[in-house]
Amino acid sequence: DGGITQSPKYLFRKEGQNVTLSCEQNLNHDAMYWYRQDPGQGLRLIYYSQIVNDFQKGDIAEGYSVSREKKESFPLTVTSAQKNPTAFYLCASSMGGADYNEQFFGPGTRLTVL
Amino acid sequence: SQQGEEDPQALSIQEGENATMNCSYKTSINNLQWYRQNSGRGLVHLILIRSNEREKHSGRLRVTLDTSKKSSSLLITASRAADTASYFCARPPSGSARQLTFGSGTQLTVLP
């Protein structure tokens, strides 16, 4: 089945630790995105990548880092510099080539800082 | 940054009734999309409407776009309890066709 997967579903972190969230897609999409969602809120863009080995900061990139070494994978690291990391993190992908591209979302990772 | 908001923030209706959600935005767009999110899940794309379209249908969904008023609406007809979810509009931010800016969403509750 084609799709986009995220792991783990739930993640707990102690203050001061870095954690990495996984995002994999087998849709052959060029573009991938990371969003943060706080309770009752919309999505805010953290980072996005239009092509392998290239990525751009979104609206709230501080305290986060990403890599795009493979087309299928776009991991997100939440660093200790992120002061309020408890949130629901969503990864998405899109074809990225044309102007009107829907985004396909993974099931999300809920990160809780203890 | 989020450009525009959905209205209302929350909506509660009885099964069988119609639900209407509105989305306003501030800058010109080339398309607008609607997504659905069940609690604790990822978003699912519902429908995309281009700036040169005024209305689009998909099953029980009807989306309208008024570029002069910078607004869009999503109508769900004959609602079902399974339609209970959050609904978001999304559009490319000015100058970028490949990103999407999401509104804060409308929480729809359909009571059986």
Side-chain angles (χ1 to χ4, degrees):
Chain A
D1 288 337
I4 182 166
T5 59
Q6 292 184 242
S7 62
K9 186 173 182 178
Y10 299 97
L11 186 57
F12 298 90
R13 190 195 91 172
K14 293 182 179 179
E15 284 192 21
Q17 287 182 336
N18 293 353
V19 288
T20 297
L21 284 59
S22 170
C23 178
E24 304 278 334
Q25 54 98 2
N26 61 4
L27 300 167
N28 200 34
H29 285 170
D30 287 316
M32 297 187 75
Y33 311 83
W34 273 106
Y35 295 93
R36 170 183 172 135
Q37 186 178 32
D38 292 285
Q41 301 295 315
L43 279 63
R44 292 185 290 170
L45 183 64
I46 304 172
Y47 268 98
Y48 64 100
S49 168
Q50 300 293 351
I51 197 169
V52 174
N53 292 323
D54 184 57
F55 49 83
Q56 306 294 329
K57 292 182 179 180
D59 299 320
I60 56 166
E62 185 175 353
Y64 300 97
S65 66
V66 293
S67 63
R68 186 85 187 277
E69 297 176 359
K70 297 187 299 181
K71 188 175 186 178
E72 302 80 20
S73 179
F74 191 40
L76 173 73
T77 297
V78 184
T79 75
S80 57
Q82 170 50 236
K83 298 306 179 187
N84 185 22
T86 294
F88 189 50
Y89 290 88
L90 287 159
C91 180
S93 69
S94 73
M95 290 178 63
D99 288 334
Y100 307 124
N101 282 314
E102 65 181 275
Q103 291 187 9
F104 293 78
F105 283 80
T109 292
R110 188 167 300 280
L111 173 64
T112 302
V113 174
L114 304 174
Chain B
S1 61
Q2 296 185 352
Q3 303 177 42
E5 298 293 333
E6 281 89 336
D7 169 57
Q9 289 187 333
L11 179 62
S12 184
I13 59 174
Q14 295 291 328
E15 222 172 11
E17 294 180 340
N18 295 343
T20 300
M21 290 157 268
N22 303 297
C23 170
S24 62
Y25 56 92
K26 297 178 181 177
T27 59
S28 61
I29 59 172
N30 54 15
N31 75 83
L32 185 140
Q33 304 177 33
W34 285 89
Y35 288 79
R36 165 194 169 125
Q37 183 182 33
N38 286 68
S39 181
R41 302 288 188 89
L43 278 69
V44 175
H45 183 266
L46 295 175
I47 199 163
L48 180 153
I49 186 165
R50 295 180 170 79
S51 59
N52 60 353
E53 298 175 312
R54 291 296 168 259
E55 189 170 308
K56 204 162 182 179
H57 297 255
S58 177
R60 293 184 296 112
L61 305 181
R62 173 184 166 232
V63 168
T64 62
L65 179 64
D66 187 335
T67 54
S68 65
K69 295 181 179 179
K70 291 187 168 58
S71 68
S72 175
S73 66
L74 170 66
L75 168 67
I76 303 175
T77 60
S79 63
R80 306 166 182 168
D83 293 329
T84 294
S86 292
Y87 292 83
F88 296 90
C89 67
R91 55 256 174 230
S94 178
S96 172
R98 297 181 178 180
Q99 298 177 53
L100 289 175
T101 296
F102 287 82
S104 56
T106 292
Q107 172 61 53
L108 173 65
T109 302
V110 181
L111 303 170

